[in-house]
Amino acid sequence: MKQDVTKVGKVNLADAFSTISEAWSPRIAGDINDMQVKIAKFKGQFDWHHHEIEDELFLVIKGKLRMGLRDKCAAPLAERAVDLDEGEMIIVPHGVEHRPESLSDECHILMLEPASTLNTGTVQSERTISDPMRL
Ligand code: NI
């Protein structure tokens, strides 16, 4: 099958982030089979949520990120936080409750996750973005 090499291009992350003004509004930066690369600016604290089947990778491009983690089935509730600097990443397995929080003025985050992943997980709220825009 003939491949169209003109469709293969690069993404400049700094340029991409400069087009995003609002926080917690992921943009699709690319597709990898059934996965998507998304980028988003984080500001303040997001909501606790989990994903039934999707694992999520978060890579800090700029700023400082705190990932709150908890196991709601554990008694007493087991909660911890992992702090990440630029160039660090974390993979949150499906089922694990998590709450991203920016420890800097804002964070620039790259995410890798299945295309089916909803930003608020199993929770529907005013922060749910069911159909993220592409860059
Ligand atoms: Ni999540």
Side-chain angles (χ1 to χ4, degrees):
M1 196 174 113
K2 199 169 184 299
Q3 300 294 323
D4 184 356
V5 293
T6 64
K7 292 227 167 84
V8 183
K10 68 178 180 181
V11 174
N12 181 297
L13 290 176
D15 290 349
F17 277 109
S18 73
T19 67
I20 301 174
S21 51
E22 64 287 28
W24 309 113
S25 181
R27 299 282 199 283
I28 299 165
D31 302 271
I32 303 174
N33 294 336
D34 297 332
M35 308 283 287
Q36 283 179 334
V37 176
K38 294 175 186 166
I39 63 167
K41 288 182 174 174
F42 291 2
K43 208 170 179 131
Q45 214 170 50
F46 201 58
D47 305 325
W48 284 107
H49 67 278
H50 74 280
H51 308 272
E52 290 292 348
I53 55 169
E54 297 99 345
D55 301 338
E56 285 191 292
L57 176 149
F58 298 81
L59 168 65
V60 181
I61 303 296
K62 190 176 165 193
K64 200 171 168 75
L65 173 70
R66 171 166 292 168
M67 187 62 73
L69 299 162
R70 70 183 187 190
D71 176 1
K72 62 177 186 240
C73 297
L77 194 72
E79 187 174 321
R80 61 190 282 256
V82 178
D83 292 349
L84 295 95
D85 286 311
E86 289 176 14
E88 295 186 319
M89 57 171 242
I90 186 169
I91 297 169
V92 179
H94 62 278
V96 174
E97 273 201 300
H98 53 285
R99 181 182 62 186
E101 174 183 1
S102 176
L103 296 180
S104 42
D105 182 41
E106 67 175 18
C107 273
H108 295 185
I109 304 295
L110 182 147
M111 288 159 285
L112 178 63
E113 57 193 27
S116 58
T117 310
L118 201 57
N119 64 328
T120 52
T122 57
V123 181
Q124 282 281 345
S125 74
E126 70 284 348
R127 287 175 136 175
T128 301
I129 296 177
S130 43
D131 193 13
M133 286 195 297
R134 289 182 178 268
L135 284 179

